[in-house]
Amino acid sequence: MTTKPVVRYALPADLKPDRLPQHVAVIMDGNGRWAKRRGLPRIMGHRRGVDTLKTLLRCCRDWGIGALTAYAFSTENWGRPVEEVDFLMALFERVLRQELLEMMEENVRIRFVGNLAALPRSLQGEIHQAVTQTQGNHGIEFTVATNYGGRQEIVQACRAIAEQVQRGELSPSDISEELFSRHLYTSEISDPDLLIRTSGEMRISNFLLWQLAYAEIYVTDTLWPDFDTSEFHRAIYAYQQRDRRFGKVKG
C-alpha cells in the first residue's frame, strides 16, 4: 500500500514570522464564475474550491498561523437553486467523512458555527463526529461557518442576554462587550486579524459582523478555486505592511 506524501509549505523568506496574523478568515467567492468561464457546471467550481481550502489550511498550519475560519454557506445561500444547495449539503457531508482521518493525522481541530439545527440530519451527524473526534487536536483551529449569518448571530446573542435579564440573572449594567462576545457562536475563538475575500467583491456579506471590527481586509480579483499559496503569500505580505492601530494613535 502506498503512503500519500505529506505536503509541507515553508514560510517565504520575505514574510516576518513575528508579524503573521494568528487568525485568518476567508470569504470563498467565485466558484460558480470559475466553472462558468470553463464551460463547466457550477458544482465543479465547488469541488475545486474544496481542494483550495484544504491547501490553505495546510499552508496556515505550516506557516504558524493558528486559526482559519472559512465562510462555507450563509443563511442567504438557501435562496440558490435547489439542485445546487442539495449538492453543497452532500459535498459537505462527503468531505467531512473522507477527510476526518487526515484531519486527525494533521492535528486539525474543526469547529462549526451557525444555525446547525437547520442542516440535514445526516450532515449534522457528520459534523458532530468530526467535532468530537478532533476536539483534542492542537495543530490548527479550523472553523467552518455553515448556515451562518452575522445579523442572525447578533440577534440570537441579544435574545439570550435578554432572557437572562428577564430571569433576574443579569442587570442591564452587567452587559459589556466581553459578555456579549461570550454569547456569540464564536465565543471560543479569537477575532480574526485578517479577512481575505476572493473574486473582487468589496463587501463582507453578513460575515462575522461583530468579530471583524478591527480586522485587516484584503480583497483580490482571483476567483476562489485559483487562490493558491502564491496568492496567499501576497495577502500575508500585504497584511504585514499594514499599520494596525486599533483606533488609537501611536506615539
Side-chain angles (χ1 to χ4, degrees):
M1 185 165 106
T2 58
T3 303
K4 192 175 180 182
V6 177
V7 178
R8 296 291 180 186
Y9 299 97
L11 183 69
D14 60 346
L15 295 184
K16 300 178 177 63
D18 60 338
R19 295 199 63 193
L20 291 170
Q22 285 308 297
H23 184 178
V24 173
V26 291
I27 299 177
M28 307 178 292
D29 198 13
N31 289 345
R33 275 167 283 174
W34 181 91
K36 184 178 180 180
R37 288 179 185 179
R38 290 160 176 78
L40 300 171
R42 288 174 60 86
I43 60 175
M44 298 303 294
H46 295 309
R47 283 179 176 164
R48 177 66 177 266
V50 170
D51 294 334
T52 300
L53 182 57
K54 288 168 60 178
T55 298
L56 181 59
L57 180 63
R58 292 190 180 101
C59 192
C60 285
R61 178 204 61 194
D62 293 345
W63 287 4
I65 296 169
L68 174 67
T69 295
Y71 201 9
F73 191 86
S74 74
T75 50
E76 292 77 25
N77 285 158
W78 294 108
R80 293 187 175 187
V82 174
E83 298 80 7
E84 183 175 353
V85 171
D86 289 346
F87 173 83
L88 286 170
M89 294 298 119
L91 180 64
F92 296 157
E93 190 174 334
R94 184 168 65 253
V95 168
L96 278 175
R97 188 165 53 248
Q98 292 175 347
E99 300 295 330
L100 181 55
L101 178 60
E102 200 162 338
M103 284 192 288
M104 292 299 297
E105 291 173 348
E106 299 191 13
N107 203 20
V108 174
R109 178 176 183 176
I110 191 168
R111 287 189 175 97
F112 285 79
V113 293
N115 180 13
L116 306 182
L119 299 175
R121 192 172 297 265
S122 56
L123 176 54
Q124 291 182 50
E126 294 293 344
I127 288 173
H128 176 75
Q129 183 173 356
V131 170
T132 300
Q133 288 195 224
T134 64
Q135 62 184 351
N137 294 345
H138 302 289
I140 184 169
E141 301 275 352
F142 179 37
T143 303
V144 184
T146 308
N147 195 25
Y148 173 89
R151 288 182 174 182
Q152 172 204 64
E153 179 182 33
I154 289 170
V155 168
Q156 70 84 28
C158 290
R159 285 175 178 162
I161 293 171
E163 288 169 359
Q164 287 182 280
V165 172
Q166 190 175 46
R167 293 194 298 266
E169 299 168 3
L170 276 179
S171 166
S173 61
D174 295 327
I175 301 173
S176 63
E177 290 186 15
E178 182 182 0
L179 183 140
F180 190 84
S181 294
R182 292 203 301 268
H183 286 79
L184 297 174
Y185 294 136
T186 58
S187 59
E188 297 180 355
I189 308 166
S190 64
D191 290 345
D193 301 299
L194 171 65
L195 170 68
I196 297 171
R197 175 156 194 160
T198 57
S199 86
E201 302 292 349
M202 304 294 286
R203 55 180 178 269
I204 58 175
S205 297
N206 200 20
F207 183 45
L208 300 176
L209 298 180
W210 176 274
Q211 299 88 337
L212 291 174
Y214 284 104
E216 298 298 322
I217 299 176
Y218 178 86
V219 177
T220 174
D221 289 333
T222 302
L223 302 179
W224 176 249
D226 290 328
F227 189 83
D228 56 15
T229 55
S230 63
E231 292 285 345
F232 188 47
H233 178 191
R234 292 188 189 97
I236 300 300
Y237 183 84
Y239 169 84
Q240 294 194 340
Q241 310 314 303
R242 308 280 178 90
D243 181 17
R244 304 190 74 201
R245 298 187 302 273
F246 300 94
K248 303 173 184 177
V249 175
K250 290 185 178 179

